[in-house]
Amino acid sequence: MQIHGKDVAGAIDRETRCTHYHSEVDRIAIKFYCCDAIYPCVHCHEEHADHEIVVWPKEYFDEQAVLCGACGQMHDIHTYLTAKDHCPSCGAAYNPLCARHNHYYFETEKGDE
């Protein structure tokens, strides 16, 4: 699906929600390091990609890899991780529980999750 001019595989609506995560605040999608493709979640990647996930290494946290489904702004990983539960551009609420899944996408220290 095209969302804000970007292909988002597995999305079911215009704010990047998917069949796995579709609450009002589930509105980000992540460009995966391993394939440069954007998916709403790790499960969508597993369903649509033909390879294993490789997480973003910390030295690449300045890369634009997180898409806000509300405004279409791409954020670097560091900005996304420090914004916690809202878009730093438009203020749209993000799901604060997503932080529990950061280790699926980004290199984390043990105990960061």
Side-chain angles (χ1 to χ4, degrees):
M1 173 180 279
Q2 279 276 314
I3 300 174
H4 301 290
K6 306 215 180 331
D7 287 320
V8 182
I12 60 170
D13 77 6
R14 296 283 175 206
E15 286 199 347
T16 74
R17 293 176 189 91
C18 65
T19 58
H20 311 101
Y21 300 100
H22 46 266
S23 77
E24 176 63 26
V25 292
D26 290 315
R27 63 169 48 100
I28 65 122
I30 298 167
K31 180 171 74 171
F32 279 70
Y33 179 75
C34 50
C35 55
D36 210 34
I38 301 172
Y39 295 92
C41 76
V42 65
H43 306 297
C44 288
H45 183 282
E46 290 171 344
E47 291 173 1
H48 295 275
D50 61 356
H51 59 272
E52 295 291 319
I53 294 170
V54 178
V55 300
W56 283 94
K58 285 186 179 185
E59 60 266 21
Y60 293 102
F61 279 17
D62 60 342
E63 295 289 324
Q64 303 290 302
V66 181
L67 172 67
C68 174
C71 70
Q73 182 68 42
M74 288 292 293
H75 296 289
D76 65 71
I77 297 164
H78 178 72
T79 298
Y80 168 71
L81 292 175
T82 57
K84 305 255 185 231
D85 60 0
H86 67 280
C87 175
S89 294
C90 72
Y94 292 160
N95 189 337
L97 299 177
C98 287
R100 294 180 181 175
H101 304 147
N102 285 343
H103 63 283
Y104 291 126
Y105 312 104
F106 315 116
E107 182 181 354
T108 60
E109 298 290 329
K110 187 171 177 107
D112 279 359
E113 300 134 28

